[in-house]
Amino acid sequence: MTGEPPFHPLPRLAPGSTIGMLGAGQLGRMTALAAAKLGYKTHVYAPDAAGSPAAQVSAAATVADWDDLAALERFARSVDVVTLEWENVPVATAEHLRRFTTLHPGPNVLSVAQDRIAEKSFVNALGIATAPWRAAGSAEEVARAMAEIGPRCVLKSTRLGYDGKGQARLEADSDAAAAWEAIGGGKPGADGTAVQGIVEGFVTFACEVSVIVARGADGVMVAYPAVENRHKNGILDVTIAPASPEKVSAATAAEADHIARRIAEALDLVGVLAVEMFVTADGAVLVNEMAPRPHNSGHWTMDACASCQFEQLVRAVCGLPLGSVGRMADAEMTNLIGDDVLRWPDLLAEPGARLHLYGKAEARPGRKMGHVNRLFPRR
Ligand code: AMP
């Protein structure tokens, strides 16, 4: 016997196979487009799949609830593997699907990523820093957390928050009861369970960064460089790829990369993971949150990289070798939120601007309608 590990070929799904997609938004749409490019079909499953961004470009769509066990089983049996574009798919749904098919990422990953307390506990247990935080199940506990952490805090709902929703800023003179009320604390949330809170110390960050890592079933990982994210009204506005070295030193970027890989490995993730982090003035890196799926801050990869984040997800869940994260250009991604999308004629006329629209009929305020990538020579 030699010391060589045994060779286990990956279960590999050949082009022509069908990928099941839980969730039907723009991330599902762009994954389906990447799948189609490699010859795969996509079957979308979501309660709101009808006419959705993802269904418009997929071979099939099932419109059914997350707890429709019969529909889930039919769906699972009709596809070759299942992945997701939304980490809040109920864990019970994921567990049910797992009885009939392969699901990546799995229920263990979802249960960590769905709850800010589980997420921060998981990250801290790896020795990775976050802002100081406390769980808060009442207005009194919010007040106690402010006393312990310091009065400059952010109160967030633990589940189902996104784009700054379910959050309240706290200062020394803030009323904890009003903040608790503002996030709907104790009341039934979108999933029917009582809204719980987490109080986080407010981070005076120099900039926000994210790293997107793809990991295959064989444990091989690739990661795109750390990018800078600028938010407007709690929603991602612009991503600068890669983050400029004036703002994020090579050492800080390497640390962000290391953190994202550590988390993906500890989760035993198969697929794509985005980790959002704060960088403080002295270069400390604190994890804010993570998403086990393609991420808005990775949209620049569609036009600037050899393989984009959506193709990496397809490759990872189909057991294909991961693609190159090689960057052919630097990039700036700008989200088109709400009425921004009305600028499409100008954007189409702008030389070099790469327009991506999501096929959403109604441009409601705060709704992500599309994005535009602009490329620049590599620095
Ligand atoms: P989140 O939903 O946790 O990603 O929060 C949305 C945005 O709010 C972040 O991207 C930050 O810009 C800001 N934010 C969230 N948490 C904090 C914090 N603890 N300190 C400072 N800013 C925060």
Side-chain angles (χ1 to χ4, degrees):
M1 239 179 99
T2 70
E4 287 291 304
F7 176 67
H8 293 298
L10 284 174
R12 178 170 288 192
L13 294 177
S17 305
T18 300
I19 299 168
M21 170 61 66
L22 304 175
Q26 64 267 19
L27 302 175
R29 175 189 183 89
M30 292 183 274
T31 306
L33 292 171
K37 197 178 84 174
L38 294 180
Y40 294 84
K41 299 186 192 76
T42 300
H43 180 161
V44 175
Y45 183 111
D48 56 354
S52 63
Q56 289 171 28
V57 300
S58 292
T62 296
V63 183
D65 287 331
W66 297 122
D67 60 0
D68 186 338
L69 301 184
L72 287 167
E73 180 177 344
R74 271 197 306 278
F75 165 72
R77 290 189 190 281
S78 75
V79 299
D80 298 296
V81 65
V82 178
T83 187
L84 51 91
E85 60 120 47
W86 190 57
E87 67 275 22
N88 291 308
V89 169
V91 170
T93 303
E95 280 166 348
H96 186 65
L97 288 168
R98 269 251 162 127
R99 296 168 53 194
F100 313 106
T101 189
T102 308
L103 170 70
H104 290 304
N108 54 327
V109 176
L110 296 185
S111 57
V112 172
Q114 286 178 358
D115 184 295
R116 292 185 191 272
I117 291 174
E119 190 172 83
K120 289 208 162 53
S121 305
F122 187 87
V123 168
N124 292 156
L126 297 175
I128 297 169
T130 59
W133 60 272
R134 299 283 186 281
S138 64
E140 294 70 36
E141 286 179 8
V142 172
R144 196 177 318 140
M146 288 171 71
E148 286 174 15
I149 295 174
R152 284 196 83 199
C153 296
V154 186
L155 170 64
K156 301 179 182 177
S157 58
T158 55
R159 301 173 71 82
L160 292 165
Y162 68 98
D163 288 346
K165 290 190 174 63
Q167 301 194 10
R169 281 284 308 276
L170 296 164
E171 302 284 347
D173 56 358
S174 298
D175 179 3
W180 180 246
E181 183 77 25
I183 70 155
K187 306 221 172 68
D191 63 358
T193 63
V195 170
Q196 297 295 302
I198 179 171
V199 178
E200 296 176 16
F202 187 81
V203 180
T204 340
F205 51 79
C207 76
E208 292 187 78
V209 300
S210 59
V211 170
I212 293 173
V213 54
R215 186 169 181 272
D218 55 359
V220 170
M221 287 189 272
V222 294
Y224 296 99
V227 297
E228 179 189 347
N229 298 316
R230 296 186 190 153
H231 293 80
K232 206 155 71 184
N233 305 321
I235 306 178
L236 182 64
D237 179 26
V238 172
T239 294
I240 293 148
S244 79
E246 293 83 47
K247 282 208 167 169
V248 178
S249 70
T252 302
E255 190 184 344
D257 173 275
H258 176 69
I259 286 172
R261 288 174 190 260
R262 255 326 283 293
I263 296 173
E265 198 153 48
L267 288 170
D268 198 15
L269 177 105
V270 177
V272 169
L273 176 79
V275 181
E276 293 184 70
M277 294 163 264
F278 300 123
V279 178
T280 63
D282 54 4
V285 181
L286 307 174
V287 168
N288 176 29
E289 62 177 2
M290 61 198 184
R293 53 161 170 79
H295 191 258
N296 197 165
S297 66
H299 291 359
W300 66 277
T301 63
M302 297 174 82
D303 293 307
C305 295
S307 294
C308 73
Q309 61 165 350
F310 302 102
E311 184 178 317
Q312 301 288 12
L313 177 60
V314 170
R315 286 172 175 253
V317 302
C318 291
L320 309 176
L322 297 177
S324 163
V325 291
R327 192 172 82 252
M328 299 173 290
D330 289 353
E332 198 173 298
M333 187 282 318
T334 305
N335 268 336
L336 302 174
I337 312 278
D339 280 349
D340 292 347
V341 72
L342 302 176
R343 289 178 10 228
W344 65 264
D346 294 341
L347 294 167
L348 281 176
E350 181 185 323
R354 317 285 178 107
L355 182 64
H356 300 262
L357 297 180
Y358 306 152
K360 296 182 184 178
E362 205 191 331
R364 292 195 290 270
R367 195 173 197 207
K368 290 176 178 168
M369 302 299 293
H371 67 270
V372 58
N373 285 332
R374 295 183 174 91
L375 304 182
F376 306 94
R378 281 184 60 149
R379 295 223 277 178

